[in-house]
Amino acid sequence: MSETNTSIETTDPNAERALAAPMGLFVYIILYGGMTVLAGVVAFKQVQLWPSSLAVEAGIFPFLLLVVITSTIAQLYGQKLANRLIWIGFIPLALSAAIIYLVLSLPASSEMLEFRLDDLAAFERVLGQTPRILMAGPAAYITSLLLNVWIFSKLRGSGEATTTGLMIRGAIASALSQAVDSVIFITLAFYGEFDITNLMIGQVLAKVALSIVLVPFLITGGVKLAQWLDTRSA
C-alpha cells in the first residue's frame, strides 16, 4: 500500500508543477500579497524624511516594494506574469477591506468600551477610511503598477540588461509611475475638499526622490535574491 501511494504522489502532475515553480517567484508572490494590504494601513501616517522638510505618506515604503517585486518578476519571468500578479493583487485588497469592514461593524466588547475607549477611537480612525480614499487607492494602485511594468519592460528593449541598465530602468519606471500614482490618488481622494496643489507637489517630489535613491539598489538586490532562491531550489 505504501509503495502504491508513493508512486501516485511522485507522478501527480500538480505536485510536479508545484515543485517546478521557481522559488524566487513563489516567495515574491507571498510578499506581494502582504505588501498590498500593509500599504493601505500604514499610509495613514505622514512621515518627514530627514533632512528634507517634505512629508510623505508612509504607504510609499511597502508600495516601493510592490514596484520592486513586479519589476523583478517582469525582468526574470516576463511582463505578462508581472501584469497578472498586479491584477490578482486586487484579491488581498478586497478581502482585507471586507474583513476590516466586518470588524468595524461588530460591536466592541464591554471591557474595551469601559477601559480602552481611546484605543478603540484610534483604531476606528485609522481603519475607517472614507469611501473616496477607498476608491482612490485601488485606482492609483492598478494604474501606477501597470505603468511601471510597461515602462520597465519597454526600456529593456530586446537585449539582456546589465546591472547598470537594470538600475536605470528601475529608477525611471518607478519615478514616472510614482508621480502618476500621487496625481491619481490625491485628486480622487481630496480634490474639492481643499487646495491640493502643495500636497501633490510635495508627494510627487518625495516619491520621485525615493524612487531615484532607493529603487536602483532594491531592484538589483531583488533580482539577485530571486536568482539565488531559484538556484537553491533547483
Side-chain angles (χ1 to χ4, degrees):
M1 177 65 72
S2 60
E3 294 180 358
T4 303
N5 289 339
T6 302
S7 175
I8 292 173
E9 290 175 0
T10 55
T11 57
D12 183 354
N14 293 326
E16 291 178 359
R17 282 196 295 270
L19 291 173
M23 180 59 68
L25 177 61
F26 179 75
V27 170
Y28 279 19
I29 287 174
I30 294 175
L31 287 175
Y32 189 90
M35 291 303 103
T36 57
V37 176
L38 182 63
V41 176
V42 300
F44 187 84
K45 182 176 181 178
Q46 298 279 322
V47 296
Q48 185 168 324
L49 302 178
W50 184 90
S52 170
S53 60
L54 293 176
V56 62
E57 47 90 7
I60 181 62
F61 300 112
F63 200 88
L64 282 179
L65 289 180
L66 293 180
V67 169
V68 170
I69 291 170
T70 52
S71 297
T72 298
I73 290 175
Q75 174 72 17
L76 298 178
Y77 312 111
Q79 181 181 356
K80 288 185 179 180
L81 186 56
N83 288 337
R84 187 180 304 171
L85 179 61
I86 293 170
W87 284 104
I88 292 175
F90 274 113
I91 296 176
L93 277 175
L95 285 176
S96 62
I99 292 173
I100 288 172
Y101 178 78
L102 173 63
V103 171
L104 291 174
S105 300
L106 294 173
S109 68
S110 56
E111 179 182 350
M112 193 166 196
L113 290 173
E114 185 175 356
F115 301 109
R116 300 173 60 190
L117 198 56
D118 290 342
D119 292 343
L120 177 61
F123 176 83
E124 293 180 342
R125 186 163 57 251
V126 171
L127 296 181
Q129 302 180 51
T130 66
R132 285 187 64 175
I133 294 177
L134 290 175
M135 176 186 69
Y141 156 85
I142 194 69
T143 305
S144 61
L145 284 178
L146 288 175
L147 178 63
N148 173 77
V149 169
W150 182 80
I151 295 173
F152 181 80
S153 300
K154 284 295 182 183
L155 291 176
R156 181 177 188 175
S158 58
E160 288 298 321
T162 62
T163 299
T164 302
L166 180 66
M167 295 174 76
I168 293 173
R169 289 190 295 122
I172 293 173
S174 178
L176 293 176
S177 63
Q178 286 302 295
V180 171
D181 175 84
S182 295
V183 172
I184 293 175
F185 179 82
I186 293 174
T187 301
L188 292 179
F190 305 117
Y191 181 77
E193 296 186 7
F194 55 86
D195 184 1
I196 62 175
T197 304
N198 291 335
L199 175 62
M200 186 175 295
I201 292 174
Q203 292 289 296
V204 169
L205 290 176
K207 290 184 177 182
V208 168
L210 283 174
S211 295
I212 294 173
V213 172
L214 295 179
V215 169
F217 303 99
L218 289 174
I219 196 169
T220 302
V223 168
K224 290 183 177 180
L225 175 60
Q227 291 173 330
W228 181 79
L229 290 170
D230 291 347
T231 301
R232 295 280 294 179
S233 63

